[in-house]
Structures are given as C-alpha cells and as structure tokens.
Amino acid sequence: MHIAYLDESGTHKEARYFVVASLVAFERNTHHLAREMDQIQAKYFRDWPEPVFFHASSLRSPEDRVPEPFNKLSAKERAGIFSDVYQVIANSHARIIAVAMEKAFMTSDPYERGFEEIVSRFDMLLSRIHRDHGEDQRGLIITAESSYKNNLESLARKISTEGHRWGNVHNLADIPYFAPAKNTRLLQLADFVSNAVFAHYETGHSRYFNQIAPRFDQEGNRIHGLVHMTRNRDDCFCPACVQHRS
C-alpha cells in the first residue's frame, strides 16, 4: 500500500497561484517519517507536553502574531525548523506529486483540477511499480480537512465510478479519507511540500523547492510529479515547463 497525503496552498484571495500537492509514502515508511518529525519536536520543544502541530504558515507569521508554541522560539530557530523538516523530506524515499495553477489561467475550479491530476498521476505511479517490479500496489489518498471536503467527496465518487478525463483509475483501494492535519505528521509534511511549491511559483522563493525537488516523482529523466499550469509556459524555466518544451 502506498499512501498519498494531500494538502493545498494559495487559498487566500490575493494569491496568484493555487497549489495542490501530495507526499506519497510506502506504508512501512510512514512510521519512520513520523518519528523524524517527533525528533524535530524534541529538538526545539523539549518541555512541550503535547504533539506540536507543525504548520508552515504558522512559522512564517509576522513576529507579533506567531502562535504558540512557535512564539517561544527565535526567528533563527523557526528557520531551523523549516530546514530540518525539508531535510526530512529530501532524505526520505517518499515521492512528491504537485500541481501549481495560475488562478487567472484556470477555467475550472483549481482544487478539483489539481485533485484530478494527482489522482491520475498517483494511479500511474502505482502502475509503473507493478510494471517495473511485478508488485501489485494499492493506493490510498488522505486529505487534510478543508472547505473543499464536500466538493472533493463528490468528485472522488465520480472518478471512482466514471474515471478521470484521461481514463480510468486502476489501483486505488478506496475513496479519499479526510483527517485533521494536526492529527498526523504525514499531512503536516504534505503542508510543507505544498508551501514550498507555492512559494516557488508565487514569489520566486525557491530554496525549499530546490531542496525537495529530487523527490518529485520521475521515471528516468522524465518528471511525472510536477505540473505547472500557466499562460506564460514558454517563458517559464521550472522543471515541468522546461520538460514540456523539450
């Protein structure tokens, strides 16, 4: 079983981009990733009695609005958490599938389109594993709870019965499950993934995007795990657009 943990960034009205991203992990690797996040908590919050909800936007809050327990840290320590979390992702065996959409370019709901892209590419990933290694793998999608829940439940049922715009789904074990991100470390990691992809396309801040870029799902030199939807594709030099032109 492979599990795709899914989250989004760019929900605020002012954002030019909307990102849907997933961190795909083999079931036996989820425990190790969660333990590494626990170790980060122990490093920065030795006396904090409860599991810390690691959330990228909380760490980036203005100095006078940083929520607990991050307000107990210096700006340097908060930056250290960013580096440590992204290093966990970079060192892992997980794969990333992300869709960055310029809102002005989209003619349909960006979350629904992004979700459909991820379902299709996750299903293809599982098919490649079967083809290359002879292993039957099933996939499960776990999504952070949000205001999109009702729409996604309807879309997921439609994809399950009718397929997506590129074909049918073959390897998913069930419809997506929704969970609070604070309850699972892997959804928290997915939040950092979506945040890094959003920052790359929205502001050009690419440090963390570059740090985790090797984890985008790929086959040889072909990247399957990154999609960029923009009206200026010919002028973009991100890995997805460069590949598209070549």
Side-chain angles (χ1 to χ4, degrees), residues 204-223:
H205 181 82
S206 300
R207 174 184 173 184
Y208 300 125
F209 177 91
N210 293 335
Q211 190 173 352
I212 63 174
R215 303 305 335 142
F216 286 115
D217 179 41
Q218 59 185 20
E219 182 182 18
N221 293 324
R222 182 167 181 79
I223 299 173

Side-chain angles (χ1 to χ4, degrees), residues 65-234:
R65 292 197 299 244
V66 178
E68 282 194 331
F70 305 114
N71 59 353
K72 302 182 183 303
L73 304 177
S74 66
K76 183 177 180 180
E77 288 172 321
R78 294 197 296 274
I81 291 178
F82 268 109
S83 295
D84 290 350
V85 170
Y86 284 115
Q87 198 58 46
V88 167
I89 298 169
N91 291 343
S92 73
H93 296 290
R95 306 190 207 197
I96 294 171
I97 304 173
V99 186
M101 294 157 282
E102 188 179 6
K103 292 179 181 178
F105 177 73
M106 303 303 295
T107 58
S108 59
D109 184 278
Y111 200 131
E112 292 186 5
R113 179 58 189 272
F115 179 78
E116 196 173 7
E117 287 276 358
I118 285 180
V119 168
S120 171
R121 291 168 187 274
F122 182 36
D123 191 54
M124 287 192 298
L125 164 60
L126 299 172
S127 293
R128 291 203 319 270
I129 293 173
H130 174 72
R131 182 196 68 196
D132 296 340
H133 303 287
E135 300 176 2
D136 286 329
Q137 290 291 328
R138 288 319 213 190
L140 188 66
I141 296 175
I142 299 180
T143 304
E145 286 188 339
S146 71
S147 59
Y148 294 94
K149 180 177 178 179
N150 291 337
N151 289 347
L152 282 191
E153 285 180 333
S154 299
L155 179 61
R157 284 193 293 269
K158 181 179 178 181
I159 291 175
S160 177
T161 56
E162 302 175 21
H164 47 70
R165 70 185 68 202
W166 304 281
N168 294 320
V169 174
H170 302 285
N171 303 292
L172 298 191
D174 204 346
I175 63 171
Y177 288 89
F178 295 84
K182 65 180 181 180
N183 291 348
T184 165
R185 294 296 198 197
L186 276 296
L187 278 177
Q188 292 168 34
L189 285 171
D191 168 71
F192 278 81
V193 170
S194 68
N195 190 271
V197 176
F198 175 78
H200 173 75
Y201 288 104
E202 181 78 6
T203 66
H205 181 82
S206 300
R207 174 184 173 184
Y208 300 125
F209 177 91
N210 293 335
Q211 190 173 352
I212 63 174
R215 303 305 335 142
F216 286 115
D217 179 41
Q218 59 185 20
E219 182 182 18
N221 293 324
R222 182 167 181 79
I223 299 173
H224 298 290
L226 181 63
V227 181
H228 183 201
M229 298 182 184
T230 175
R231 54 191 161 185
N232 299 317
R233 205 170 201 180
D234 291 339

